[in-house]
Amino acid sequence: MSAKLNPLANPKGQKKLCEICQKPAHIQCTRCRVTFYCNTEHQQADWVSIHEKVCQLLILIRKPAPFHAVQADRDKQRNEIRRRQEELIEISQAAARRRLSEGSHQEALPAAQFSLRCAMDVYGSSAIRLVPSYLLMAEASMGLGKLVQAKEYLSLAEWTVVQTPNCSNNTLHQLHRNMGRLYAATGDLEEALWHLAEDVFYATEGFGLDSVVTCQGYFLMANVFLRQNKADIANSIYSEVARKWHIHLTRLLVQKHTQEHVQAEQLLDEGQRAEAEQTLRTLLEAQEQSSKPQLEQSAILAHCLAMLWYLSDCSEKALEFGRKAMELSQQVSELNLSDPIKALLERAEESLMVVKTN
Amino acid sequence: MSTAVLSRQKMPFLPDIKSSEERSSTPEGKSPKSRYRNPLRHNVYVTMLRQGFHRSFADLYSLMKFWNETRQAAGPDSALWKARSVEEQPYKLETLQLFLTRAEAASRAGDHGSVYESQLALARFFSHPEDKWLSHHFYQMSLVSARKIKIDGGKKEAEANAHIGQVYLEQGQVELAKEHYEAFRHLAAGRTWHDGEGRTHYSRSCEGLCRVYTLLADRALQSQEYKTAIQILTKAYEMAKEAGDRQIEGNAAYRVGLAYQKAGDQLTAKRFLNIYMEISKILSDANNVGKAYKAIAKSLESEDKLTETIQSLEKFAEVSQNSDQQQNLIEAYMSLGMSFNSRGQYDQSCQYFEQAYETACALESVPLLHKAQVCLASARAHRMLRAYIIHVEAGGRQSVQRLISWKESRQDTFNEPAHELSMLQKGQLDSYTQ
């Protein structure tokens, strides 16, 4: 899979640099022959993260351009390369995002880096299109605890956004969310709150008031308020988050039942699912551990989790949480959750039976 | 000595810009630089969110969205299209921010009283016609939060109900207004709550209900359902009695009377109209007394009690004259004239129409003048008709002479003694015959 390479033996003027760390390379990927690494560890990391998916696609881009005598052919070649590069950006960003939602930041980093490099090749060094890649890099770095690097990437992203008027709300909301995360991590809570507030605002502008996109921003804000010892504000926001997810998941459940052919992935993508699972679980655990738990809140959260697991076709967990929700909702008299929970439990049991008989 | 010591202390010539302490001591809640770049609405929303007021944010955001959608739906031709959004008016937006956040902070602390106060303040703030919808929204909100207040025995809830009833009345949704006013009355019953002007809430609720019932009854009357109208109006009258305001009570009685009159039950109608008259007399409101006499006369007339009708109308005229109400006086004279006219007593009829005409001349009211003129003319014509017919039937030279002279002069001379005429026109007639 890897062939040895001596930097001194390279043709003059050509520098083979490591894909990961940009140092002189010593080995080469034997499949595409256009990617180089300084050692096998880097190659391994790149392979796992992104190279496996893009290895063959890279050949056309990186190999020396063949000579075409006619201008039309040269244009065609250039367009083909450009198209391929844009495709690569999308693939690598999706890969990085998936890794991030899985929580494996180390594996996300090479993919994010690759997407950034591709984007720079295509769009230049100060285009707004670079911002998603910057944000991925920042998020991965933050996950690894490399705050200085994260800050660097974020300030690059911010600078690009400031230079570009009429940015899309989506970009702005993601930028501010990451800034908020960063400041929360560095302990500058005031600044974090400002950025998270901007995040929620832009998310609301872009996706509407009831969208669950705003939930993560709210959740992070509530965490910051909790660190400032403002428990009442934090609790109020937590219940808002729970309420939003509850509405959203109930709606998805109805969709799933009314439209037979809809796949689970269409209703709830991987990133959202992971985010919801993490948020709701954290909230439920916090409720269970708190000294004066609000039963109503816990019931809603447990119901949310049950719906979430049912939607991702995991009937056992759905049953577990559904039973918990049932138990909790029976203790709260004014909550009308018993019927939907009962229906959910029945459906979950049904699908469990189907799985077992198969 | 001491000054020397002080002066020896190391004082930097320029302020120390590198010291981090100075810079980090920015006030709490400092805003980022982007504040100067973004529009006001953005800043307001973000400031609210930053302080954790997510409910205020959601409220305000959905209100503004609702407004924009209504505006889009109304299209560029509507008045709404040119109206300025609240988001573009800093004063209003900041007031909204202030009170919404105050309300949310209070609700977080469980102080529903303050929530109610804030919402009420907002509802009162948006009194301009173009902001009425906001005012209505906040009245609704204040009712919701007033229901959560437990300690004051429902006073706030009662007030909130009153406000909403008022709002629905303004919007013309009488049924809904009725519900809220009834709730208001129910809550205020047996309590001694006062408002700022010293009136009890209970009295106010009765008054409001009376108004609502009257409106409902008007609808029933329009669709000619007299039975329901009378039922509703009787309720209104009871409410008016409980409100303790004689004026309103009188008016309610008058309406019941009129409704009975329309339904054909003259006896009951008269009973209520008499109540109205008595109350009006006590209040010494001549206008209303006159109105009462007139209505009673109408009832009597439909019962064919003609003498009493005329008596009543004469009283109407008298009252109007005494209180110097020309308009009513004309009306009284006209009615009297009409009623004599219908009985064939054209002399009296003419007399009253003439009086009406004179009064109208004094009042310089052209439409009334015209009406009086026409009535007077027709009454006079009727009066003359009988004499004319007698002359035609009698035939003979003298009668024909009279008829001819009338045709020429168009002067009503039929009732004058015969010889005067014959003296006057003898020569003329002789010349004809020769």
Side-chain angles (χ1 to χ4, degrees), chain A residues 162 190-191 193-194 197-198 200-202 204-205 208-209 218 221 225 228 230 232-233 236-237 239-240, chain B residues 28-32 34-35 37-38 41-42 45-47 49-52 54-55 57-58 61-62 108:
Chain A
V162 166
E190 289 298 322
E191 201 68 22
L193 280 177
W194 276 114
E198 295 267 2
V200 173
F201 174 73
Y202 284 120
T204 311
E205 286 274 89
L209 204 54
Y218 273 131
M221 261 175 102
F225 278 120
Q228 287 184 330
K230 292 174 182 166
D232 51 342
I233 303 180
S236 150
I237 297 180
S239 60
E240 171 75 6
Chain B
E28 206 242 1
K30 64 167 178 150
S31 52
S34 63
R35 235 184 137 62
R37 258 197 320 260
N38 293 327
R41 85 181 256 280
H42 182 122
Y45 285 138
V46 170
T47 314
L49 280 170
R50 183 240 157 281
Q51 291 159 345
H54 63 94
R55 244 174 265 154
F57 168 72
Y61 196 88
S62 54
R108 241 186 245 148

Side-chain angles (χ1 to χ4, degrees), chain A residues 72-309:
Chain A
D73 283 346
R74 289 199 288 273
D75 286 347
K76 195 181 162 199
Q77 168 84 8
R78 205 177 302 131
N79 287 341
E80 177 66 15
I81 289 178
R82 169 117 186 172
R83 203 181 53 75
R84 186 67 66 83
Q85 279 174 325
E86 277 168 5
E87 194 184 329
L88 280 176
I89 295 173
E90 263 174 41
I91 292 174
S92 53
Q93 281 182 356
R97 214 163 275 142
R98 194 166 49 250
R99 298 284 185 200
L100 284 177
S101 71
E102 283 167 6
S104 41
H105 301 279
Q106 186 67 56
E107 287 170 12
L109 207 54
Q113 203 175 358
F114 179 76
S115 81
L116 182 61
R117 208 172 297 148
C118 279
M120 273 190 181
D121 286 345
V122 179
Y123 306 114
S125 60
S126 64
I128 190 73
R129 299 277 191 93
L130 298 184
V131 172
S133 300
Y134 280 138
L135 292 179
L136 286 171
M137 286 296 291
E139 209 176 328
S141 317
M142 232 183 297
L144 292 172
K146 297 177 187 167
L147 295 182
V148 180
Q149 279 179 20
K151 193 166 185 177
E152 213 165 281
Y153 285 118
L154 282 177
S155 34
L156 277 170
E158 196 184 16
W159 176 233
T160 318
V161 165
V162 166
Q163 280 176 310
T164 321
N166 304 327
C167 267
S168 79
N169 286 321
N170 193 11
T171 314
L172 285 166
H173 115 76
Q174 279 175 0
L175 170 68
H176 283 292
R177 178 166 300 176
N178 281 307
M179 302 271 279
R181 268 203 196 117
L182 175 76
Y183 282 115
T186 52
D188 188 349
L189 300 183
E190 289 298 322
E191 201 68 22
L193 280 177
W194 276 114
H195 283 293
L196 290 170
E198 295 267 2
D199 160 36
V200 173
F201 174 73
Y202 284 120
T204 311
E205 286 274 89
F207 300 92
L209 204 54
D210 295 326
S211 159
V212 285
V213 179
T214 57
C215 279
Q216 186 69 10
Y218 273 131
F219 180 68
L220 291 169
M221 261 175 102
N223 289 344
V224 173
F225 278 120
L226 208 58
R227 277 166 71 182
Q228 287 184 330
N229 292 327
K230 292 174 182 166
D232 51 342
I233 303 180
N235 284 334
S236 150
I237 297 180
Y238 281 143
S239 60
E240 171 75 6
V241 171
R243 192 187 63 83
K244 273 194 175 148
W245 273 115
H246 192 252
I247 293 170
H248 185 65
L249 288 170
T250 314
R251 204 181 299 145
L252 288 184
L253 210 60
V254 172
Q255 256 179 39
K256 185 177 166 127
H257 291 156
T258 46
Q259 303 163 347
E260 291 290 318
H261 52 277
V262 174
Q263 294 295 309
E265 286 77 34
Q266 278 174 299
L267 290 173
L268 205 63
D269 68 39
E270 188 60 32
Q272 266 188 330
R273 207 199 62 76
E275 183 194 309
E277 206 262 322
Q278 199 213 340
T279 311
L280 294 168
R281 197 161 34 81
T282 320
L283 287 180
L284 188 60
E285 277 165 14
Q287 280 293 338
E288 278 165 359
Q289 284 161 11
S290 82
S291 51
K292 38 177 182 179
Q294 295 163 303
L295 289 175
E296 189 184 332
Q297 182 81 357
S298 312
I300 290 175
L301 286 168
H303 186 207
C304 281
L305 278 167
M307 285 194 280
L308 188 67
W309 285 118

Side-chain angles (χ1 to χ4, degrees), chain B residues 264-322:
Chain B
D265 184 353
Q266 306 300 346
L267 267 178
T268 331
K270 271 190 286 180
R271 191 158 59 82
F272 277 101
L273 289 171
N274 279 323
I275 296 173
Y276 176 52
M277 188 160 64
E278 274 158 32
I279 292 172
S280 301
K281 272 181 185 163
I282 294 167
L283 294 171
S284 61
D285 185 339
N287 190 6
N288 288 350
V289 176
K291 244 164 81 183
Y293 276 124
K294 190 181 145 197
I296 290 172
K298 204 176 160 195
S299 274
L300 289 166
E301 196 181 351
S302 24
E303 281 182 314
D304 287 332
K305 291 180 180 168
L306 294 174
T307 17
E308 285 167 36
T309 311
I310 284 166
Q311 270 173 11
S312 185
L313 280 172
E314 272 166 355
K315 273 186 191 156
F316 178 30
E318 191 189 319
V319 167
S320 304
Q321 200 158 24
N322 290 344

Side-chain angles (χ1 to χ4, degrees), chain B residues 62-109:
Chain B
S62 54
L63 277 175
M64 292 303 117
K65 199 170 161 223
F66 170 76
W67 191 86
N68 281 327
E69 276 166 6
T70 329
R71 183 167 170 270
Q72 291 292 339
D77 294 333
S78 62
L80 203 59
W81 193 261
K82 292 196 190 87
R84 270 204 315 158
S85 165
V86 173
E87 283 176 346
E88 290 160 22
Q89 303 175 54
Y91 178 50
K92 288 182 183 170
L93 201 57
E94 275 158 14
T95 313
L96 272 168
Q97 182 191 4
L98 177 69
F99 283 105
L100 279 175
T101 49
R102 196 179 284 173
E104 191 176 346
S107 89
R108 241 186 245 148

